Structures are given as C-alpha cells and as structure tokens.
Amino acid sequence: MAFLEIDNLKKRYGAVEILKGINLDLDQGGFLVLVGPSGCGKSTLLNTIAGLENISEGQIRVAGNPINDLHPSKRDIAMVFQSYALYPNMTVAGNIAFGMEMRGVAKAEREKAIEQVAKTLQISHLLSRKPSQLSGGQRQRVAMGRALVRDPKLFLFDEPLSNLDAKLRVDMRVEIKRLHATTGKTIVYVTHDQIEAMTLATKIAVLKDGELQQVGTPAEIYNTPANLFVADFMGSPAMNLIQAKAAQENGRIVLKILNKAGGGITLPVPGDITGQPLSDGREVIFGIRPEAITDHDGADRNARSIEMVNATVDVVEPAGADTFVVTHLGGKEVTARMRSDAVVQPGQELPFAFNLDKAVVFDPSTGKRL
C-alpha cells in the first residue's frame, strides 16, 4: 500500500474546475515533485494535502487513513513555504522551537531537538541570530528546520527556492537532496522549474490546466514523454520537435523531413513505437533531445542507430562544458549539443549525428507519443 494516496481529487471554485480528477500515490520515503507552468494547479493540490484548501470530490489518505476532514493541525504534516514565514522578532532557535513550545514540549527536549536539526542543516552557528541577519539561503534552512523538528509523517515544500538567486538555488537543491537522503522522510515538492524536478525527485507528476499529463521517474519523464507538452516542458534546452511525414521507400517506412533549402532528409523510424506501424503519408512529430544530436566524434559509440544528417549551422552558443549548435530542419530551429572543443562556425555545412535510440514520435492531432 502506498504511503500517500490521492484518489480522483477534484477542486472547484464555483463553476471553475481547478483540479480535474487527480490520481497519485507515493511510497514511504519517496520524493514526489509536482511540476508544471504557472496556474496549472500544483500549489492548489499541495494545499489540499496540507488541509489549507477543502476538496470538492475525491479522497486523500496518509498511511491508509483518510485525512480529508481533518484540521491541518491534526494531519501531522509540515509545510515549507516560498516566503519562509519566519517570526522576525525571534532568534533562529526561537523560530525552530516555537511549534514545540506551543505543544508544551519540555525545554530540555526542545533544546536537544534544536541542536540536532541545526547540525543536520549546518546552521548551528546561526541559532542566536534574527532572520534579518540571515541570507536567503540561511532563512530557507531555518524554515526547513522548523518543519523538520516536528518529525512529521509528511513534508510539503511550496516552491521553496524560487526567491533565491541561481547559484544559491543549486546549493539549496543539494541541501534538500541531502536532507531527504539522511532523514528518509516522505516529501511532496512543488516547483515550476523542471531542472529542480529532475534533480530532486524519485517520482515526477507533470500537470497542465489541472490535469495530470504524466507520472513517472525522472528518467521516464525525460526519455519517454507521454505527449508533446511533457516533451517540450521537461528538459533544458527543450526537446527538438520536428514535423515529418512517413513514406514508403525500398519496401520500408521511413520519415521524411524538409530542410531549410527545401530539400529533404530521410531517417529510419525510431524503434520504440509501441502502437501500429506508421502508414505511408502519415504526418508525425519527430522528437529528439539536443544531446542526441552531436558531431560525428561525439556520438554515442554504444548506440544501435546513428544517422548522419548534413545541415547548415545557423548559430553557435559556447556554454563552457558544451557547445550548442542551432540549425534548421522541418521549418524549425533544431538545437544540437556538441563537445566544448567542437570546431563549428556559423554558415558551415556540417554532418550532424542523430542518435535514433533516443528519438520518439508523436501524433500531431492528439499530441500523444506513438
């Protein structure tokens, strides 16, 4: 039995349905990330688990027990907010201990818990400071400590890193990952940042307009997206999505893609199509990640199907460890990810190595992966 179970959860404000029948489960010790664009319903879903929002239909269970009708204080759930929500007149130690003090926990027990949590989060040297004397990352650690000290059944994080600068976000991701590994706590985490989702999660749920688009491991979401929305949303740079048409050639079905000059290239159909074979003339969307398009020397030697495609280099973007190269295929910009020392110039005609082991195909009318 899953530790957290959400069955057919719906949330309406008047006639407007915000959550449209969400079904999710999470094992104990798991790390579920709810990801999607602004307004997709991920924070509303988190708030229904916390009890800050009532649900219109469905059921939420924790450890097999329904919690729909329980007051938030009775759910044994701790929440870390985007805004930190620290008491400015209290020290770090006071903020961490406040909830325990309200519950009548003995002073000696409070001090022991504060010491242990502060050591885990590496904030022992900050315990006597006020929130105004802390950096954004330190404040977020204190907010996490206040939740952690309660030892709840379930942790909820609502975009906790969105107020931090880019470098600090990376540092705090590592801290949260370490926290999960050392405590083994069950966590539900909301973000609009798909890099956060990929690096933190054991399971990802992608939402759009209040509906689940796909639920799976980071590898499943990234490598086998269920539809065009997931393919385009997850990954940075995004997956290349190119218009193509199935055609019969020499007794087999291939994919035809136009290039910028109006000519065409021919690619074998990727081998992971699970439905019926493509029919001659069927229009499809060919999807391939930037790292699956590279120069000849950078191609994966273990790949079963590498196809070389000549195309003109449009833009070169050095990015330190990699070089991103933009060309055009099928009337769209296509991004390739090459080695940092790849010698590439704009206007150059270059053979690009396509790793078709990593390619997927979508139906343009339904958006679903074939």
Side-chain angles (χ1 to χ4, degrees):
M1 179 188 296
F3 182 73
L4 172 66
E5 299 169 278
I6 300 173
D7 290 339
N8 196 34
L9 189 149
K10 297 182 181 180
K11 173 63 180 177
R12 288 186 288 269
Y13 295 107
V16 180
E17 195 167 47
I18 304 300
L19 298 174
K20 305 171 183 177
I22 304 296
N23 290 285
L24 274 173
D25 60 69
L26 180 64
D27 291 336
Q28 189 160 12
F31 197 129
L32 171 66
V33 175
L34 307 176
V35 67
S38 296
C40 71
K42 54 189 185 294
S43 288
T44 301
L45 178 55
L46 196 76
N47 288 337
T48 63
I49 299 171
L52 304 178
E53 297 269 7
N54 294 322
I55 66 175
S56 304
E57 288 183 39
Q59 191 173 75
I60 304 171
R61 293 185 296 275
V62 174
N65 301 310
I67 63 170
N68 298 28
D69 301 323
L70 290 181
H71 188 272
S73 64
K74 304 296 184 184
R75 296 190 180 199
D76 198 14
I77 291 173
M79 192 162 182
V80 178
F81 296 94
Q82 176 182 351
S83 60
Y84 318 137
L86 302 177
Y87 297 108
N89 59 323
M90 294 184 182
T91 63
V92 167
N95 268 280
I96 293 173
F98 182 72
M100 291 188 291
E101 192 173 347
M102 290 298 99
R103 294 195 302 275
V105 177
K107 184 178 179 181
E109 190 176 339
R110 292 202 308 266
E111 290 178 348
K112 183 179 179 182
I114 292 168
E115 182 182 349
Q116 185 174 349
V117 166
K119 184 178 179 181
T120 299
L121 294 172
Q122 301 176 38
I123 55 172
S124 298
H125 61 296
L126 304 175
L127 289 175
S128 61
R129 295 189 191 179
K130 298 283 183 69
S132 60
Q133 299 171 299
L134 305 178
S135 68
Q138 289 169 339
R139 290 180 196 178
Q140 194 55 272
R141 281 189 179 91
V142 176
M144 288 163 56
R146 186 174 54 190
L148 187 62
V149 78
R150 288 180 50 193
D151 194 27
K153 290 179 181 176
L154 183 65
F155 277 102
L156 306 180
F157 286 79
D158 190 7
E159 303 204 42
L161 308 185
S162 60
N163 290 336
L164 307 179
D165 62 52
K167 184 181 184 305
L168 200 49
R169 278 203 304 272
V170 174
D171 293 342
M172 284 304 298
R173 280 208 310 261
V174 175
E175 292 298 328
I176 293 172
K177 189 92 172 180
R178 182 181 291 119
L179 176 69
H180 179 245
T182 54
T183 64
K185 290 294 183 181
T186 308
I187 296 175
V188 181
Y189 186 106
V190 162
T191 182
H192 63 273
D193 186 328
Q194 36 82 28
I195 298 297
E196 266 179 50
M198 294 292 298
T199 54
L200 290 173
T202 60
K203 179 184 278 190
I204 296 175
V206 185
L207 288 95
K208 178 191 177 190
D209 298 331
E211 294 183 300
L212 279 176
Q213 302 295 306
Q214 187 175 358
V215 180
T217 65
E220 289 167 346
I221 296 288
Y222 189 78
N223 294 320
T224 54
N227 55 41
L228 286 169
F229 174 79
V230 176
D232 189 50
F233 187 80
M234 300 300 294
S236 181
M239 177 179 278
N240 297 298
L241 299 169
I242 310 163
Q243 292 180 339
K245 184 179 286 189
Q248 189 152 5
E249 189 176 272
N250 299 325
R252 62 174 186 152
I253 293 292
V254 296
L255 295 180
K256 294 281 190 179
I257 300 173
L258 295 177
N259 60 25
K260 195 173 183 180
I265 63 170
T266 300
L267 294 173
V269 175
D272 72 335
I273 292 179
T274 56
Q276 296 294 321
L278 298 179
S279 56
D280 187 17
R282 180 173 180 178
E283 293 187 350
V284 297
I285 302 293
F286 173 77
I288 188 166
R289 296 283 180 192
E291 62 269 22
I293 308 174
T294 185
D295 58 295
H296 180 271
D297 292 338
D300 183 357
R301 300 300 178 206
N302 297 317
R304 293 164 299 171
S305 180
I306 297 288
E307 291 290 324
M308 302 306 298
V309 174
N310 289 323
T312 302
V313 175
D314 220 16
V315 177
V316 178
E317 298 179 318
D322 305 292
T323 299
F324 292 102
V325 179
V326 179
T327 185
H328 279 80
L329 289 173
K332 292 193 68 175
E333 285 189 350
V334 173
T335 301
R337 187 174 188 169
M338 298 189 177
R339 296 165 297 128
S340 59
D341 58 352
V343 181
V344 188
Q345 299 294 329
Q348 179 183 358
E349 182 83 8
L350 189 72
F352 290 81
F354 279 58
N355 182 358
L356 296 186
D357 292 0
K358 304 291 186 180
V360 287
V361 178
F362 301 93
D363 184 326
S365 59
T366 65
K368 294 182 179 180
R369 180 170 52 88
L370 299 174

